Amino acid sequence: MPSMPNHFHVARHHRLVWLVFLACTLLGWAMLTPTAQPASRQALVMTLHGSIGPATSDYFRRGLERAQTQDMALVVLRLNTPGGLDASMRDMIQAMLASPVPVVVYVAPAGARAASAGTYLLYASHVAAMAPTTHLGSATPVQIGGGLLPGGSPETAPEKDGGESGQNGKSSEKTPPTDDSGSKRRGDTAMERKVLEDAVATIRSLAQRHGRNADWAERAVREAVNLTAGEALDKDVIDVVARDVPELLDKIDGRQVVMADGTRTLDTAGLATVAFDPDWRTELLSVISDPNVAYFLMILGFYGLVFELLSPGALVPGVVGGICLLLALFAFHVLPINYAGLGLVLLGLALIVGEALMPSFGVLGIGGIVAFVAGSVILMDDRNLAVSLPLIGGVALVASGFMLWVALRFLGLRRRRPRTGQDELVGARAVALHDFTGAGHVRLFGERWRARCRSPVRAGQTLRVVAVDGLTVEVVPDDAATPDPPPSVSGEST
């Protein structure tokens, strides 16, 4: 049998070499390329810095939904807050307790605090952690103006106190939190007592759920006491003290936490962290929902509407008051985000239409654009992208252009000379019907008018009306006009 050509063996050898080289290259690239971490081995790290309000509550809920959607193993909330609104705090607690992803509330960095509402969030978390040189406490409910809800002078507690159970199922009735006089601190009025006892029941139930110190939690509410990180760990108020997030993940590895569906063991060693920081929208809404800013908006909105009612038609107080009042209702968590945004959008559209129907030199139009943009920003939602930023900007520009066109058209109408009445005659041109000095007759708008002129007038000369006196017009020679040929006066009547 004849042998194969030599060049065939050489070509096959070259192909084999190239295949081996390609396989080695792909293997080396795969070894050098870092393997992507699966979502189940990731921890979402959020940051909450400042007062707790509707914006932070919305940000926290969006973070929990993202962690659940991406099947992450853990959520870490870095907390540093002086407190906030009770309604927003309770929304965050409910979302935390119902979350299928464990939540770690970590008071950090060094020097941070979890005061007032932050203490409740710390007790509600599946794992409560603090960095060194941080503290928590002062959980007594206060009014928005700063006054304490419980009265300044404590009242004597009755011998039986409703049977709230303390930590590990033991009754706290024997050792209630007391003040200097040895009596349990309560509010002076029925409303103050209701708010205080409700807050106590809330924080004690959270402490019992996670096996933390319920008695100290009650003291934090009734007496506004505080603890440092080390003291909180010694008193079983928190679970872990860690310097940073990696150390925190190592320390809570293997810890059992109470979830909505039962007990779960954490596997957090070596988790990769994914940051979920507040965006510009959250930062902007956080400024609006700051208690000081919200209080100012409420006062400004109230007095703006009052001044508008006292001086109907002023427009500026009413427009500013309406916008500020809706923003204040959002900031106080009276209106949810969607309703507050929708209300501002509708108010803005109504003001823009009002500018077109009743021109106000821009007062209604500018107020409408401000209300529309503010409402649209509030309606923006990263979860379903309800309103996009380019759409908001485009609609605002169109509305601004429409308002500018209406204002310019209105100003043009105001400057236009009237078309009826004696005012229209002033400045009009007339033609002399014959030569006269002093008194004579002119043709004006096709009619014969008596005229007076101080200078001699010749037939066909163009004159300009400067005044009207009954059925007689005062005229002067119009040098800029071109004289018309003298008209025929036959058949004319006075």
Side-chain angles (χ1 to χ4, degrees), residues 112-133:
R113 57 177 171 170
S116 193
T119 302
Y120 293 83
L121 295 179
L122 201 62
Y123 265 89
S125 62
H126 302 102
V127 177
M130 299 177 70
T133 66

Side-chain angles (χ1 to χ4, degrees), residues 317-329:
V319 172
V320 175
I323 296 175
C324 290
L325 196 59
L326 282 175
L327 289 175
L329 292 177

Side-chain angles (χ1 to χ4, degrees), residues 220-352:
V221 175
R222 294 190 185 277
E223 304 176 28
V225 295
N226 289 264
L227 286 178
T228 63
E231 294 170 343
L233 184 63
D234 294 338
K235 293 181 179 295
D236 293 329
V237 172
I238 62 172
D239 304 313
V240 176
V241 173
R243 290 188 300 272
D244 50 30
V245 173
E247 182 180 351
L248 171 66
L249 296 179
D250 290 339
K251 286 189 174 182
I252 65 175
D253 183 48
R255 178 180 291 272
Q256 289 189 341
V257 295
V258 178
M259 305 294 296
D261 55 355
T263 304
R264 184 183 307 180
T265 302
L266 298 180
D267 182 15
T268 59
L271 283 182
T273 57
V274 178
F276 181 60
D277 296 327
D279 53 7
W280 67 268
R281 171 180 174 267
T282 302
E283 296 288 352
L284 177 61
L285 297 182
S286 297
V287 173
I288 296 175
S289 58
D290 182 87
N292 298 316
V293 177
Y295 186 74
F296 177 75
L297 289 174
M298 182 185 67
I299 296 298
L300 195 62
F302 174 76
Y303 281 108
L305 296 182
V306 169
F307 290 151
E308 182 66 30
L309 293 176
L310 293 177
S311 304
L315 297 180
V316 175
V319 172
V320 175
I323 296 175
C324 290
L325 196 59
L326 282 175
L327 289 175
L329 292 177
F330 156 74
F332 287 132
H333 216 142
V334 176
L335 289 178
I337 287 182
N338 50 352
Y339 288 117
L342 182 62
L344 284 169
V345 168
L346 294 179
L347 176 62
L349 294 177
L351 292 177
I352 293 173

Side-chain angles (χ1 to χ4, degrees), residues 92-114:
M92 295 176 66
I93 289 176
Q94 291 174 6
M96 195 183 308
L97 296 179
S99 172
V101 182
V103 178
V104 179
V105 174
Y106 177 43
V107 183
R113 57 177 171 170

Side-chain angles (χ1 to χ4, degrees), residues 163-173 204 207-208 212-215 218:
E164 283 283 1
S165 58
Q167 189 178 13
N168 300 326
K170 297 180 181 180
S171 173
S172 62
E173 183 178 342
R204 287 193 68 93
Q208 293 165 10
R212 299 186 183 122
N213 193 330
D215 291 336
E218 184 172 351

